[in-house]
């Protein structure tokens, strides 16, 4: 209800409304969704949304997914995850508290001329070299 009232104001979108709800109105389940939170959510909670554009409707789906995982304090859980993903914070965390590294797309070199094969791409995960990720798999 508070978020709906806030977004009815000129210039207030879903993210700003969620920030106001979480940080000023004691709405602990409010999750401000921006591109960074979107990336976290797609990676860990809503992989089916990968490749889609971030719209207000999808922001709501992301918020619902995070609330589904973390419950009534999802906004604060989101805040902790967001801060933990900042490079300088991530670097200072012990390895066992870091989220697993993101998979990277690496393009293979073109094959010898004359083979007619196009460059291929493959998923290469840094998790192979990450001891925490290996431990989680076991």
């Amino acid at each position: 209800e508070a978020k709906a009232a806030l977004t009815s104001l000129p210039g207030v979108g879903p993210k700003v409304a969620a920030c106001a709800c979480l940080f000023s109105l004691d709405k602990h389940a409010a999750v401000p969704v921006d591109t960074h939170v979107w990336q976290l959510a797609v990676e860990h909670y809503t992989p089916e949304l990968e490749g889609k554009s971030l719209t207000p409707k999808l922001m709501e789906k992301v918020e619902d997914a995070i609330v589904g995982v973390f419950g009534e304090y999802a906004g604060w859980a989101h805040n902790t995850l967001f801060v933990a993903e900042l490079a300088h914070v991530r670097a200072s965390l012990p390895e066992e508290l870091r989220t697993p590294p993101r998979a990277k797309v690496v393009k293979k070199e073109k094959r010898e001329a004359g083979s007619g094969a196009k460059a291929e791409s493959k998923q290469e995960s840094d998790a192979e070299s990450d001891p925490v990720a290996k431990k989680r798999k076991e």
Side-chain angles (χ1 to χ4, degrees):
E1 187 177 306
K3 193 159 86 169
L6 288 166
T7 55
S8 72
L9 298 172
V12 178
K15 179 187 166 197
V16 171
C19 285
C21 288
L22 178 62
F23 300 121
S24 300
L25 300 174
D26 294 327
K27 305 293 184 190
H28 305 294
V31 179
V33 179
D34 63 6
T35 58
H36 303 289
V37 174
W38 171 257
Q39 289 170 353
L40 270 171
V42 167
E43 184 176 355
H44 298 288
Y45 309 111
T46 55
E48 70 278 6
L49 299 179
E50 186 170 11
K52 297 189 179 198
S53 296
L54 185 56
T55 64
K57 189 171 187 164
L58 289 183
M59 290 170 113
E60 193 173 314
K61 282 188 179 198
V62 168
E63 183 174 10
D64 290 345
I66 294 174
V67 169
V69 172
F70 295 105
E72 65 181 295
Y73 290 96
W76 297 113
H78 136 276
N79 194 54
T80 302
L81 289 169
F82 176 81
V83 170
E85 286 293 303
L86 297 173
H88 70 283
V89 173
R90 184 178 168 80
S92 68
L93 288 172
E95 285 191 45
E96 65 271 10
L97 296 179
R98 295 178 189 168
T99 55
R102 290 186 170 91
K104 295 179 182 175
V105 175
V106 178
K107 292 191 177 189
K108 288 183 180 180
E109 296 291 323
K110 287 189 176 185
R111 294 186 185 162
E112 296 291 325
S115 70
K118 294 181 179 177
E120 301 173 10
S121 64
K122 67 177 184 104
Q123 288 285 331
E124 178 183 282
S125 175
D126 288 340
E128 307 273 329
S129 61
D130 181 7
V132 176
K134 284 182 183 177
K135 195 172 189 178
R136 286 184 180 138
K137 285 183 180 178
E138 296 173 357

